[in-house]
Amino acid sequence: MKRAVYLDHAATTPVHPRALEAMLPFFSQRYGNPSSVYSLAQEARQAVEESRVAVADILGCPARDIIFTSGGTESDNAALKGVAFAARESGNHIVTSAIEHHAVLETCRFLEKFGFEVTYLPVDECGLVRVEDVEKAITQSTILVSIMLANNEVGTIEPIAEIARVVKDKSKLVGSRVFLHTDAVQGAGALDLDVNELGVDLLTLSSHKFYGPKGVGILYVRRGTPFLPQQSGGAHERNRRAGTENVAGIVGAAAALKLAAERRQSNGQQCQSLRDRLIAGIQLKIKRAHLSGHPTIRLPNNASLCFEYVEGESILLNLDFAGVAASSGSACTSASLEPSHVLMAMGIPEELAHGSVRFTMGPDNTEEDVDYVLSIMPGIIEKLRAISPLTEAGES
Amino acid sequence: MYSDLVMEHFSNPRNVGAMPDADGVGSAGNPVCGDVMKLFIRVRDGRIEDARFQTFGCGAAIATSSMVTEMVKGKTLDEALDISNKAVAEALGGLPPTKMHCSNLAAEALHRAIEDYRSRAPA
Ligand SMILES: Cc1ncc(COP(=O)(O)O)c(C=O)c1O
Ligand code: FES
């Protein structure tokens, strides 16, 4: 019997019914422009500001430090370009990691064209950034460090609080102010997002990763952080992000984040037990399947594996035939036809990276879902290995 | 993203597996994404009597491999050499633009298998 099993929650999530419900009035009933003066508009203004307070509560910051954007990509861009161009007088050096999302990496490449220098820190074989590398990389001209809270492909959780401490200490030592941004897009709903616990100056979130609508992002900017807005126009978002607010989207994002924060513990435990069931089952049933990322310091919902001798897209297509949605870091699945930069940075051989599959669970998944995947996966791998020229060479 | 025919060949690939007593073997690596295809032919009286393949690659690579082994059967070596990657893609009802390079794999492995046969057999 064919089931529909969605195991790609790191790519996106469905909008939570309660978030959707909260959004609906703002499309055609309470549609006022929050910048206008009449009551219809003020209702929208109030909804945006209440949403800001709700988000700020979860991040443990003043509401005024929250900027709503068009998504994780915009927030990453605004954070990096915003600080870089505003702090240019004090330095031109940025430190990041080799396994950041393209939204950060490509922004760094863009900034390099404008004369900024970027250090891309390596990671260990589990995908961890070494705190001492961050410390060593900071010089007198460093203005910004940007390290993700958790990796989207392999789920490794980076030691942001520790990194924050060395950034502060080294900052003092070299006598310049270094700001810290974290792309926390994959951490929402799974990890503590308190900006003071984390010790960050900027933090990026994307609503569609935590059961909110697509096209809505959050950027936290600590008061006193140099920030040059990347979008010119009206005085929206305290002059930091011009453009009429996406009222319904903002309301939905805030409602979803609240729900995600409330259910963090229970969802995390549930996902983790499904994740561990899937990983253990695959390793028991399929030879030459390797877990990628850190064995324990990983997101509770991420099971990333590499299967020897087979290619990821062909695995995904076979999974899709059986109703299972997952993703892969294989070169064949990327528009650029390059293997995942994350798996490469972790030192995984290109051939093995080809056979990568990422399953990411959500609270809507069940044990039956996992058992279903475990019932079809061995056959899929076996079938593809029977076609592969690498199998015999490797087995003998 | 793929045509029905591509999906059909991908799900039920024809002529899969090594041919231990092949008269010609050709390998091709995809320089774009790093995939590998191996093609085996058996030749009788100047015609390709049988063809088999092994492929490590995406859906398009597997489907084109399957299709090319079907297309060459019964063809003379020269006729087989005329099969271009475009022809294989067309026979499959087309490929997405980003996947056209995968069909090179099949055409190239075929050409190499024929070369291999010719280098073995005195003309
Ligand atoms: C770690 C990370 N950063 C940034 C993004 C980009 O977010 P968005 O899709 O909202 O632009 C994503 C998701 O694609 C992500 O996983
Ligand atoms: S073989 Fe890699 S994209 Fe087709």
Side-chain angles (χ1 to χ4, degrees), chain A residues 29-336:
Chain A
Q29 294 155 27
R30 301 161 72 183
Y31 55 83
N33 184 326
S35 301
S36 303
V37 290
Y38 39 80
S39 335
L40 181 72
Q42 287 310 303
E43 279 178 27
R45 164 61 54 210
Q46 195 185 339
V48 169
E49 295 319 316
E50 281 171 10
S51 300
R52 202 184 306 281
V53 169
V55 170
D57 274 352
I58 290 158
L59 271 53
C61 68
R64 53 175 295 149
D65 292 356
I66 300 293
I67 305 173
F68 290 111
T69 70
S70 70
T73 300
E74 186 190 330
S75 290
D76 280 334
N77 270 264
L80 272 71
K81 294 176 189 169
V83 171
F85 287 118
R88 199 164 200 173
E89 303 288 277
S90 35
N92 74 334
H93 181 229
I94 297 165
V95 178
T96 189
S97 85
I99 62 162
E100 298 297 309
H101 190 270
H102 287 298
V104 167
L105 288 178
E106 291 304 314
T107 302
C108 286
R109 306 232 186 276
F110 172 91
L111 287 168
E112 283 175 322
K113 289 189 199 138
F114 285 82
F116 290 94
E117 275 172 34
V118 183
T119 302
Y120 301 91
L121 296 176
V123 293
D124 69 12
E125 71 278 7
C126 298
L128 277 174
V129 172
R130 296 176 196 84
V131 179
E132 59 271 26
D133 285 352
V134 178
E135 185 182 12
K136 274 185 227 145
I138 295 172
T139 68
Q140 253 179 339
S141 49
T142 308
I143 47 178
L144 179 68
V145 173
S146 183
I147 306 285
M148 68 202 322
L149 182 55
N151 182 266
N152 46 305
E153 290 187 35
V154 295
T156 301
I157 301 167
E158 303 299 341
I160 296 301
E162 270 178 78
I163 289 172
R165 278 190 286 276
V166 308
V167 168
K168 276 207 187 73
D169 292 348
K170 188 73 185 274
S171 235
K172 277 192 203 120
L173 200 71
V174 298
S176 75
R177 183 80 213 275
V178 183
F179 298 91
L180 176 62
H181 167 247
T182 192
D183 175 339
V185 166
Q186 292 290 337
L191 306 175
D192 186 4
L193 299 177
D194 188 297
V195 294
N196 297 310
E197 296 289 328
L198 291 171
V200 296
D201 302 298
L202 304 104
L203 180 142
T204 285
L205 290 173
S206 171
S207 150
H208 72 100
K209 309 286 187 180
F210 53 78
Y211 298 80
K214 293 170 180 61
V216 186
I218 292 164
L219 177 61
Y220 158 74
V221 184
R222 188 181 293 275
R223 205 174 168 179
T225 305
F227 185 80
L228 187 73
Q230 293 309 299
Q231 197 153 294
S232 310
H236 311 89
E237 300 294 290
R238 291 177 180 266
N239 278 315
R240 290 166 305 177
R241 201 270 181 182
T244 299
E245 299 84 344
N246 174 3
V247 180
I250 289 168
V251 168
L257 188 62
K258 234 161 104 177
L259 287 166
E262 280 164 21
R263 296 173 187 183
R264 182 157 71 91
Q265 223 82 26
S266 62
N267 282 351
Q269 278 164 5
Q270 190 191 333
C271 286
Q272 184 158 337
S273 89
L274 296 178
R275 174 197 78 185
D276 293 343
R277 188 183 183 91
L278 182 64
I279 294 172
I282 285 180
Q283 293 195 316
L284 186 74
K285 292 181 163 202
I286 302 173
K287 274 193 274 179
R288 295 174 185 269
H290 310 276
L291 182 70
S292 42
H294 197 283
T296 53
I297 310 175
R298 68 188 298 134
L299 290 173
N301 75 338
N302 177 300
S304 292
L305 297 123
C306 291
F307 298 89
E308 288 184 41
Y309 317 135
V310 289
E311 187 283 319
E313 187 199 275
S314 11
I315 303 174
L316 296 189
L317 290 171
N318 276 299
L319 283 170
D320 186 41
F321 292 154
V324 178
S327 69
S328 168
S330 162
C332 303
T333 58
S334 77
S336 63

Side-chain angles (χ1 to χ4, degrees), chain A residues 309-311 313-314 317-318 321 331-333 337 350-351 354 383-384 386-390 392, chain B residues 1-2 7 10-11 13 16 32-33 35-36 53-60 62 98-99 101:
Chain A
Y309 317 135
V310 289
E311 187 283 319
E313 187 199 275
S314 11
L317 290 171
N318 276 299
F321 292 154
C332 303
T333 58
L337 292 169
E350 213 165 302
E351 224 163 74
H354 246 86
K383 177 181 168 190
L384 293 171
I387 305 179
S388 170
L390 307 182
E392 283 167 38
Chain B
M1 141 171 139
Y2 288 128
M7 287 320 254
F10 170 71
S11 322
V16 171
V32 184
C33 59
D35 296 332
V36 190
F53 79 92
Q54 291 180 315
T55 292
F56 167 67
C58 72
I62 290 175
T98 54
K99 294 289 183 178
H101 70 274

